[in-house]
Amino acid sequence: MSKINNSLYNIRLLDDLAQKESVVHKLHPLIKLLTTLVYLIVVVSFEKYDISALLPLIFYPVLLFSISELPVIPILKRVLFAMPFIIGIGIWNPLFDTQIIIVAGIHIARGWLAFFSLVLKCIFTVTASILLIASTGMGPLSHALRMLKVPKIFILQLTLTYRYLSVLMEEVSKMMRAHSLRAPQQKGIHPAIWGCFCGQLILRTFDRAKRVYDAMSLRGFHGEYPAGNLVKPKVSDFVYFISWSVFFILIRIYNLSDLMGDLFIEVIK
Amino acid sequence: MSEFNIKVTNICFSYPDGYEAIKDLSFDIRHGESVGIIGANGAGKSTLLMILMGLMFPICGEITIDGVLITKNTLPKIRQSLGMVFQNPDDQLFLSTVYEDVAFGPRNYKLDEEEVCNRVCDALEMVGISHLKERASFKLSDGEKRLAAIASVLSMQPEALIMDEPTSTLDPKARRRIIQLLNSLHHTKIITSHDLDMILDTCERVIVIKEGRIAADGKTKDLLSDETLLDHCGLEMPLSFQKRRST
Amino acid sequence: MHMADALISPIVGGTMLAASTGVAAYSIKKVQKDLDEKKVPFMGVMGAFVFSAQMINFSIPATGSSGHLGGGMLLAIMLGPYAGFLTMASILLIQALFFGDGGLLAYGCNVWNLGVYTCFLAYPLFLWVTKKGFNSKRIFWGAMVSSLIALQLGAFSVVLETLFSGKTELPFGVFVLLMQPIHLAIGVVEGIVTAVIATFVWKARPEVLEQTANGEPIGSLSIKRILVVILVAAVLIGGSLSWFASENPDGLEWSMEKTAGSTELETEDEIHQALSRIQDKIAILPDYGFSSTNEGDTKPEGVLSNERIGTSISGIVGGFLTLILAIFIGFLIRFFKKKRRVSLKK
């Protein structure tokens, strides 16, 4: 129940955020998608025990957050939801990788490093993905997919699924509310009515699909999705992409944390 | 153009399960007329609209739009001249933004993008929601959704508008806005509704349907004040008439 | 279970993305060629249905817990394999973008794990069980068997993908013992829910299931041929992975050692040597001991030197500095933006 309302809220929120008009929002969607992909690849390409070398990549989400004026807390909350699986798998690292190393004079199992590195990677990748959609929105993103030569039929299908998500989730939410009002002690839907609960919903879904198809065909749809013209990225878009990519690759090659640490220690000396 | 008309002669229709929804219906609608189609639930209003739009074909009888018989082959042309607004705008607005939805029709008819843009802007202007152009369809209010759905049909520049319950589930202000909009459009209009006050405000002619047959066809004011006829067809006089009578 | 970006290596992600894209391209061709245009809105709205149905809690008797629907099998049964697969792919894309379930890099893995097995391996099984015509019993066993198999394969793929990516220490055996039984339970719930929904639909609108089952060219394919296709795909993927493995000096050993996670340290050497050199150059006081003093030598077995794994003191100090700097810059930008907005308003 709360899960579905949460998801509804989440989709609406991200869609609202995508309506903002910051510098980041105005960038070409394809450029944002590609930049995100380069970032993701760089993040996951770090080795298992890397932590300090990985840390400087935090500049990307932090800068995006502040330039795009997106709210930090709701988005980070979303990131937290994605953590349990990673923690569940990562937590085995310290158990199986027990070789002792010394970090800042403390003896710990090497697996802990792998664990924290994994958690960090998860935070970075999920944040980057959510920032992408929050600063772009589904419509422009489909535009980017079209430029990547994804077939229009898939994009139309994707658009429809996205469009009817909130409609159907609202329907499910109403049904579950009606159910819980009459079955207050139950945690979920009783097995005896699994079939008709979802079945009713699916029949209504069929009817809706039929009506949507009618609406489409009345406006001349013949299986070909006529999307508008594609807008090409501007020079400034390319500059954005290239400068981030160079930054990511530099971070990948040079351990910025180490360099900064050395510098700092020297200054202190 | 001036002789654009819709001619329905002796159509009947039954569903695969044997239910006879339409039994021998005939009427003519002339260019520029606004016709309300009313009747109790299950009278066959929606079925009639589906048949008019060529979503289903009558078992007997025929329909000509502007002199062209509705068949599978003539459908693309006919659908260009008839625009249907669905009862539930969620069914009609299926793309990500209002602009995309309104542009869907013109783009399907392979107009170039400049023309599409003009038409979309004109249509949005006409219904007064130009400011919602880039908004996501699902985040509009119910009233805004209706307007967007009407715009999505207007952008195809149809001769006639066919509307299924254009004012259901709207709040009074939004309803008023739709009525004003309907009166400002000079298209031929066919409107089905249970909102008889709205029909009274927008249509000069009314066709009353009962159990798949025409029970009456005439001037709105005459028919909607005929209490026995309305009662016989499972309807009630519009509130504005009831009030007049009681005072 | 969704594969996460953080768990995979770029190679595994890329390979799986390529494989899934191939299947998707073929499916799009099939959908465009064989099916009517009615199917597109049907797919779209069904995708939204499955997405919302995933959020319904099904209480499981006598356990006090509740289960959820995955929906892959249901999509295949309602839409047929090709349309079902494409619909699953778009659901997964939305999940990755909006919910951080899975990710963009792991997208290929997830489409493969949750889409390919259900639609192209498990669905034919469902057809095979129900080939003598539908009835409640056949639908039940068809849905149950196919859901179980699809989920077991999906879970096993998660294990393989994670291990090939080398991000965890979990030994293969433990991982498998962890994943497979959990997914057996999930599969039973999935099977039952899919079966009851399919039965309901079959009773209310028999034509939906029957048309899908008859209309699908895959219905005439033999199970054997489908197994062969999956096998070939597996060999291709395995092959490309091991090609990558053989690029490494260790060859085959690599994939084994990857699990144990020790070879990685050697591949890291180059980068670290380069790094140490730079460190040496920058370090004015190399005797301070924070910069690398023992670069390039092989590690002792017992206690590892820190700098190899990037956790030297300077790494820690620098890491903190990076964090502070990043957050400081973030606040600074916000601060100036706000200030500018205030002054603009004035």
Side-chain angles (χ1 to χ4, degrees):
Chain A
M1 188 70 197
S2 61
K3 189 180 177 198
I4 196 159
N5 289 336
N6 261 337
S7 309
L8 257 174
Y9 166 76
N10 180 51
I11 285 188
R12 298 238 164 102
L13 173 79
L14 289 176
D15 221 90
D16 276 334
L17 294 179
Q19 299 296 321
K20 289 189 164 217
E21 292 195 341
S22 75
V23 187
V24 182
H25 286 77
K26 282 180 192 147
L27 287 167
H28 193 279
L30 180 62
I31 291 299
K32 278 184 273 187
L33 178 62
L34 292 179
T35 312
T36 308
L37 285 178
V38 173
Y39 179 73
L40 295 180
I41 291 170
V42 169
V43 170
V44 302
S45 74
F46 273 95
E47 298 298 342
K48 192 157 46 177
Y49 303 106
D50 283 335
I51 290 182
S52 65
L54 188 62
L55 268 177
L57 284 173
I58 199 177
F59 276 105
Y60 176 69
V62 167
L63 284 181
L64 271 197
F65 265 123
S66 46
I67 297 172
S68 63
E69 301 177 34
L70 291 167
V72 181
I73 290 171
I75 291 182
L76 286 188
K77 248 188 207 161
R78 213 44 259 174
V79 176
L80 275 184
F81 282 119
M83 297 300 290
F85 178 54
I86 291 291
I87 293 177
I89 289 195
I91 201 69
W92 298 85
N93 275 321
L95 293 178
F96 285 98
D97 189 5
T98 49
Q99 200 157 33
I100 299 299
I101 51 161
I102 308 161
V103 178
I106 305 161
H107 292 249
I108 61 165
R110 194 172 60 172
W112 282 110
L113 289 183
F115 172 68
F116 286 119
S117 172
L118 197 62
V119 169
L120 211 56
K121 280 174 193 156
C122 180
I123 294 174
F124 284 177
T125 51
V126 177
T127 312
S129 302
I130 295 181
L131 278 175
L132 170 69
I133 197 74
S135 66
T136 310
M138 202 60 190
L141 205 68
S142 321
H143 190 100
L145 290 179
R146 267 176 62 209
M147 292 186 89
L148 288 175
K149 303 271 178 257
V150 174
K152 280 190 205 159
I153 201 121
F154 181 74
I155 290 172
L156 175 60
Q157 205 260 114
L158 179 70
T159 309
L160 285 168
T161 298
Y162 177 65
R163 168 68 181 83
Y164 287 102
L165 264 189
S166 50
V167 176
L168 285 176
M169 285 208 292
E170 212 149 282
E171 221 162 290
V172 170
S173 161
K174 277 182 204 154
M175 278 176 81
M176 285 173 76
R177 202 174 306 143
H179 175 273
S180 68
L181 284 176
R182 285 181 287 164
Q185 268 104 44
Q186 249 164 262
K187 216 183 133 199
I189 309 295
H190 193 268
I193 57 164
W194 284 1
C196 45
F197 192 91
C198 297
Q200 295 292 350
L201 199 66
I202 210 173
L203 291 188
R204 267 189 271 158
T205 307
F206 291 166
D207 293 340
R208 183 180 291 280
K210 168 82 173 61
R211 289 197 303 272
V212 171
Y213 170 68
D214 285 347
M216 291 171 85
S217 60
L218 286 184
R219 286 192 268 154
F221 174 72
H222 291 296
E224 179 89 2
Y225 170 44
N229 292 340
L230 294 170
V231 183
K232 287 207 172 94
K234 293 193 288 278
V235 179
S236 55
D237 292 319
F238 283 113
V239 171
Y240 175 87
F241 173 67
I242 289 167
S243 36
W244 272 123
S245 301
V246 168
F247 174 72
F248 298 151
I249 289 164
L250 283 179
I251 297 281
R252 181 67 189 88
I253 299 173
Y254 301 108
N255 186 334
L256 188 71
S257 290
D258 270 2
L259 299 182
M260 275 185 32
D262 281 344
L263 202 72
F264 183 71
I265 288 161
E266 282 148 26
V267 170
I268 292 212
K269 274 216 126 187
Chain B
M1 178 122 161
S2 60
E3 62 265 54
F4 176 83
N5 58 17
I6 297 170
K7 212 178 184 72
V8 175
T9 24
N10 306 104
I11 57 162
C12 40
F13 181 84
S14 49
Y15 282 97
D17 60 1
Y19 175 69
E20 260 188 280
I22 303 274
K23 304 163 196 160
D24 196 24
L25 263 179
S26 304
F27 58 85
D28 271 13
I29 291 173
R30 285 185 311 282
H31 178 68
E33 244 185 330
S34 297
V35 180
I37 294 182
I38 59 174
N41 286 333
K45 298 181 308 266
S46 300
T47 313
L48 177 62
L49 293 192
M50 303 264 250
I51 293 174
L52 274 179
M53 295 307 299
L55 290 171
M56 299 188 296
F57 291 96
I59 287 169
C60 57
E62 56 180 43
I63 299 171
T64 59
I65 310 281
D66 214 3
V68 183
L69 188 72
I70 296 189
T71 63
K72 270 226 158 78
N73 296 327
T74 56
L75 274 184
K77 199 177 161 347
I78 280 169
R79 284 176 177 170
Q80 228 172 340
S81 59
L82 295 183
M84 173 149 174
V85 181
F86 283 58
Q87 179 175 359
N88 185 349
D90 271 331
D91 296 337
Q92 193 148 16
L93 305 172
F94 39 76
L95 294 175
S96 42
T97 63
V98 173
Y99 184 95
E100 291 288 313
D101 265 315
V102 179
F104 184 79
R107 279 180 183 160
N108 267 322
Y109 284 99
K110 306 251 161 29
L111 299 176
D112 66 82
E113 204 50 33
E114 203 177 326
E115 172 69 10
V116 169
C117 185
N118 287 338
R119 285 200 181 195
V120 173
C121 295
D122 287 350
L124 290 174
E125 186 82 46
M126 241 189 280
V127 300
I129 52 165
S130 300
H131 58 289
L132 299 176
K133 201 159 82 177
E134 297 301 331
R135 286 278 291 280
S137 314
F138 67 86
K139 290 227 301 285
L140 304 178
S141 73
D142 242 12
E144 290 168 338
K145 274 186 195 167
R146 294 285 172 138
L147 293 171
I150 295 174
S152 76
V153 167
L154 288 178
S155 65
M156 294 173 69
Q157 303 186 339
E159 295 282 346
L161 290 175
I162 297 184
M163 302 194 159
D164 196 1
E165 293 277 7
T167 53
S168 63
T169 73
L170 291 186
D171 62 56
K173 277 254 166 66
R175 174 179 170 273
R176 184 53 56 194
R177 200 166 162 195
I178 295 277
I179 292 176
Q180 278 162 0
L181 172 66
L182 290 182
N183 284 331
S184 72
L185 297 172
H186 299 295
H187 300 74
T188 307
K189 283 175 289 242
I190 301 177
I191 302 170
T192 70
S193 187
H194 292 302
D195 179 356
L196 298 187
D197 289 278
M198 182 270 289
I199 295 284
L200 190 64
D201 283 348
T202 54
C203 304
E204 64 262 28
R205 177 179 160 203
V206 151
I207 297 175
V208 186
I209 297 184
K210 193 196 174 212
E211 289 165 5
R213 289 199 172 84
I214 292 185
D217 180 349
K219 280 218 164 94
T220 311
K221 278 195 184 127
D222 301 342
L223 295 189
L224 290 188
S225 54
D226 183 344
E227 201 173 356
T228 41
L229 168 77
L230 292 176
D231 193 50
H232 178 66
C233 297
L235 299 166
E236 261 184 6
M237 285 215 301
L239 289 170
S240 49
F241 281 174
Q242 292 180 19
K243 225 186 277 166
R244 215 173 294 163
R245 199 182 39 170
S246 61
T247 48
Chain C
M1 184 145 311
H2 290 53
M3 232 8 225
D5 276 351
L7 277 177
I8 61 162
S9 67
I11 303 295
V12 172
T15 312
M16 295 310 289
L17 190 64
S20 296
T21 309
V23 180
Y26 181 69
S27 300
I28 284 176
K29 239 185 174 170
K30 278 284 184 192
V31 167
Q32 272 174 333
K33 202 172 134 204
D34 300 344
L35 310 165
D36 54 341
E37 75 245 18
K38 231 177 228 173
K39 205 130 197 179
V40 178
F42 194 27
M43 285 157 70
V45 184
M46 272 302 285
F49 166 80
V50 165
F51 206 112
S52 344
Q54 284 175 342
M55 296 175 186
I56 300 174
N57 291 320
F58 296 104
S59 64
I60 299 162
T63 58
S65 61
S66 58
H68 294 273
L69 181 70
M73 263 330 286
L74 192 66
L75 282 174
I77 293 173
M78 297 292 155
L79 296 166
Y82 304 110
F85 175 74
L86 291 175
T87 309
M88 199 65 207
S90 57
I91 292 177
L92 289 169
L93 187 57
I94 293 174
Q95 282 176 333
L97 285 170
F98 284 83
F99 296 91
D101 276 346
L104 291 177
L105 284 186
Y107 180 60
C109 297
N110 286 319
V111 171
W112 186 271
N113 301 351
L114 297 165
V116 171
Y117 296 130
T118 44
C119 295
F120 298 107
L121 189 64
Y123 179 65
L125 277 176
F126 174 82
L127 283 185
W128 183 69
V129 174
T130 56
K131 72 177 172 207
K132 284 184 189 144
F134 288 111
N135 63 27
S136 311
K137 213 171 158 187
R138 288 197 195 120
I139 291 177
F140 179 82
W141 286 111
M144 184 57 95
V145 170
S146 51
S147 296
L148 281 177
I149 290 199
L151 273 157
Q152 286 300 306
L153 287 171
F156 191 62
S157 297
V158 169
V159 173
L160 287 186
E161 285 153 7
T162 313
L163 290 185
F164 273 126
S165 300
K167 294 278 155 91
T168 79
E169 282 315 310
L170 266 179
F172 175 76
V174 178
F175 204 172
V176 166
L177 281 178
L178 223 98
M179 290 289 279
Q180 304 308 120
I182 295 175
H183 282 81
L184 200 65
I186 297 175
V188 170
V189 176
E190 176 86 14
I192 296 174
V193 177
T194 305
V196 289
I197 298 177
T199 312
F200 187 93
V201 171
W202 171 69
K203 280 182 178 155
R205 304 262 178 95
E207 73 276 5
V208 175
L209 291 197
E210 276 153 17
Q211 269 169 15
T212 307
N214 296 333
E216 288 314 332
I218 206 165
S220 58
L221 283 178
S222 69
I223 299 266
K224 243 188 228 161
R225 257 179 84 185
I226 285 154
L227 280 174
V228 168
V229 171
I230 297 274
L231 212 71
V232 169
V235 167
L236 280 179
I237 291 166
S240 48
L241 283 173
S242 53
W243 168 79
F244 169 71
S246 65
E247 289 284 281
N248 266 276
D250 302 326
L252 243 184
E253 231 174 311
W254 173 83
S255 56
M256 317 268 284
E257 295 236 310
K258 197 84 175 166
T259 340
S262 47
T263 13
E264 238 163 303
L265 296 172
E266 279 166 40
T267 48
E268 226 178 336
D269 256 13
E270 280 173 46
I271 297 163
H272 268 270
Q273 277 177 9
L275 215 149
S276 311
R277 254 175 269 128
I278 296 159
Q279 264 182 330
D280 275 351
K281 272 178 211 144
I282 294 173
I284 305 167
L285 301 159
D287 58 313
Y288 196 75
F290 290 118
S291 57
S292 292
T293 48
N294 51 353
E295 74 233 62
D297 59 0
T298 44
K299 59 195 180 288
E301 264 314 306
V303 177
L304 285 177
S305 57
N306 309 326
E307 32 287 64
R308 310 192 130 273
I309 34 189
T311 45
S312 55
I313 295 285
S314 42
I316 294 168
V317 174
F320 272 111
L321 280 177
T322 311
L323 281 183
I324 292 166
L325 188 67
I327 290 162
F328 177 69
I329 291 176
F331 272 111
L332 214 63
I333 293 173
R334 287 229 158 170
F335 176 73
F336 279 114
K337 280 203 155 191
K338 245 184 217 163
K339 220 176 163 186
R340 212 177 63 190
R341 212 172 305 143
V342 170
S343 63
L344 273 178
K345 265 181 200 161
K346 280 177 189 167

